[in-house]
Amino acid sequence: MAGSSPFRMRLVHLDLKGAPPKVSYLSEILPLFRALGANGLLIEYEDMFPYEGALRLLRARHAYSPSEIREILRLATLNELEVIPLVQTFGHMEHRAARTRPPPSRLRVFPA
């Protein structure tokens, strides 16, 4: 990845759903990404984002805390990695539908 590239941005996609890395692990791996030539992170938070208020129901029980998110952003800055949050739109909020059994019919693409 290091060296000349026709692309201005060389991103690493961090998909945080499922088995999200601990912040301590990210502190070890982000310098490696930078050393390999990455200059940005595409972070897909999904339910690991510490949503509050009406959106709190989108948050996983083990979601990152606000201070952990700040630390991830600080580590990215420290390693000269631009952060681009991947924001899910309504068509990709299946993790919300999975939290209720059965999923509300109003959230379905096609009626049951």
Side-chain angles (χ1 to χ4, degrees):
M1 201 187 257
S4 67
S5 171
F7 303 105
R8 186 178 70 80
M9 295 298 298
R10 293 171 307 281
L11 303 173
V12 174
H13 176 204
L14 291 180
D15 188 344
L16 302 179
K17 68 181 176 288
K22 293 183 178 188
V23 176
S24 59
Y25 177 72
L26 290 173
S27 72
E28 296 176 28
I29 199 85
L30 294 187
L32 176 61
F33 293 159
R34 183 63 185 153
L36 292 172
N39 59 7
L41 298 173
L42 180 67
I43 301 180
E44 186 172 358
Y45 292 103
E46 280 216 12
D47 59 352
M48 291 306 297
F49 191 81
Y51 295 106
E52 291 294 337
L55 296 178
R56 187 176 180 88
L57 60 111
L58 300 176
R59 179 181 183 168
R61 284 191 324 265
H62 57 282
Y64 290 115
S65 68
S67 63
E68 288 174 315
I69 295 292
R70 283 191 296 275
E71 180 62 7
I72 292 168
L73 297 176
R74 187 190 74 76
L75 291 167
T77 300
L78 184 67
N79 288 284
E80 300 177 32
L81 297 167
E82 181 178 341
V83 173
I84 301 170
L86 192 157
V87 179
Q88 298 294 349
T89 58
F90 290 116
H92 292 275
M93 296 293 276
E94 63 273 355
H95 65 277
R96 164 57 183 113
R99 292 200 182 275
T100 32
R101 296 285 181 222
S105 61
R106 72 182 191 287
L107 298 177
R108 294 184 181 146
V109 174
F110 301 104

